PDB file of all heavy atoms in Angstrom:
ATOM      1  N   SER A 475      48.925  34.350 -20.473  1.00  0.00           N
ATOM      2  CA  SER A 475      50.410  34.207 -20.099  1.00  0.00           C
ATOM      3  C   SER A 475      51.299  34.776 -21.122  1.00  0.00           C
ATOM      4  O   SER A 475      52.397  35.146 -20.839  1.00  0.00           O
ATOM      5  CB  SER A 475      50.719  32.732 -19.835  1.00  0.00           C
ATOM      6  OG  SER A 475      50.468  32.021 -21.039  1.00  0.00           O
ATOM      7  N   HIS A 476      50.919  34.791 -22.424  1.00  0.00           N
ATOM      8  CA  HIS A 476      51.780  35.223 -23.459  1.00  0.00           C
ATOM      9  C   HIS A 476      51.341  36.599 -23.969  1.00  0.00           C
ATOM     10  O   HIS A 476      51.967  37.123 -24.947  1.00  0.00           O
ATOM     11  CB  HIS A 476      51.831  34.292 -24.665  1.00  0.00           C
ATOM     12  CG  HIS A 476      52.298  32.970 -24.284  1.00  0.00           C
ATOM     13  ND1 HIS A 476      51.633  31.969 -23.687  1.00  0.00           N
ATOM     14  CD2 HIS A 476      53.548  32.385 -24.405  1.00  0.00           C
ATOM     15  CE1 HIS A 476      52.307  30.863 -23.485  1.00  0.00           C
ATOM     16  NE2 HIS A 476      53.606  31.193 -24.002  1.00  0.00           N
ATOM     17  N   ALA A 477      50.342  37.206 -23.414  1.00  0.00           N
ATOM     18  CA  ALA A 477      49.873  38.456 -23.893  1.00  0.00           C
ATOM     19  C   ALA A 477      50.478  39.709 -23.218  1.00  0.00           C
ATOM     20  O   ALA A 477      50.977  39.509 -22.110  1.00  0.00           O
ATOM     21  CB  ALA A 477      48.358  38.574 -23.803  1.00  0.00           C
ATOM     22  N   THR A 478      50.540  40.801 -23.881  1.00  0.00           N
ATOM     23  CA  THR A 478      50.972  41.989 -23.274  1.00  0.00           C
ATOM     24  C   THR A 478      49.880  42.622 -22.395  1.00  0.00           C
ATOM     25  O   THR A 478      48.797  42.083 -22.512  1.00  0.00           O
ATOM     26  CB  THR A 478      51.460  42.998 -24.408  1.00  0.00           C
ATOM     27  OG1 THR A 478      50.341  43.292 -25.214  1.00  0.00           O
ATOM     28  CG2 THR A 478      52.568  42.370 -25.217  1.00  0.00           C
ATOM     29  N   VAL A 479      50.207  43.787 -21.830  1.00  0.00           N
ATOM     30  CA  VAL A 479      49.194  44.335 -21.078  1.00  0.00           C
ATOM     31  C   VAL A 479      48.110  44.886 -21.876  1.00  0.00           C
ATOM     32  O   VAL A 479      46.896  44.713 -21.575  1.00  0.00           O
ATOM     33  CB  VAL A 479      49.834  45.531 -20.219  1.00  0.00           C
ATOM     34  CG1 VAL A 479      48.714  46.312 -19.398  1.00  0.00           C
ATOM     35  CG2 VAL A 479      50.875  44.981 -19.352  1.00  0.00           C
ATOM     36  N   GLY A 480      48.263  45.372 -23.072  1.00  0.00           N
ATOM     37  CA  GLY A 480      47.309  45.801 -23.893  1.00  0.00           C
ATOM     38  C   GLY A 480      46.469  44.763 -24.482  1.00  0.00           C
ATOM     39  O   GLY A 480      45.262  44.806 -24.691  1.00  0.00           O
ATOM     40  N   GLU A 481      47.072  43.628 -24.738  1.00  0.00           N
ATOM     41  CA  GLU A 481      46.335  42.423 -25.303  1.00  0.00           C
ATOM     42  C   GLU A 481      45.491  41.859 -24.232  1.00  0.00           C
ATOM     43  O   GLU A 481      44.570  41.086 -24.513  1.00  0.00           O
ATOM     44  CB  GLU A 481      47.332  41.366 -25.869  1.00  0.00           C
ATOM     45  CG  GLU A 481      48.034  41.920 -27.062  1.00  0.00           C
ATOM     46  CD  GLU A 481      49.130  40.933 -27.553  1.00  0.00           C
ATOM     47  OE1 GLU A 481      49.436  40.104 -26.789  1.00  0.00           O
ATOM     48  OE2 GLU A 481      49.536  41.114 -28.708  1.00  0.00           O
ATOM     49  N   GLY A 482      45.919  41.988 -22.924  1.00  0.00           N
ATOM     50  CA  GLY A 482      45.184  41.233 -21.824  1.00  0.00           C
ATOM     51  C   GLY A 482      43.622  41.757 -21.814  1.00  0.00           C
ATOM     52  O   GLY A 482      42.869  40.960 -21.403  1.00  0.00           O
ATOM     53  N   THR A 483      43.407  42.941 -22.061  1.00  0.00           N
ATOM     54  CA  THR A 483      42.049  43.441 -22.074  1.00  0.00           C
ATOM     55  C   THR A 483      41.212  42.707 -23.091  1.00  0.00           C
ATOM     56  O   THR A 483      40.103  42.358 -22.882  1.00  0.00           O
ATOM     57  CB  THR A 483      42.033  44.905 -22.212  1.00  0.00           C
ATOM     58  OG1 THR A 483      42.793  45.481 -21.343  1.00  0.00           O
ATOM     59  CG2 THR A 483      40.490  45.426 -22.210  1.00  0.00           C
TER      60      THR A 483
END
Side-chain angles (χ1 to χ4, degrees):
S475 61
H476 295 84
T478 61
V479 176
E481 294 173 344
T483 305

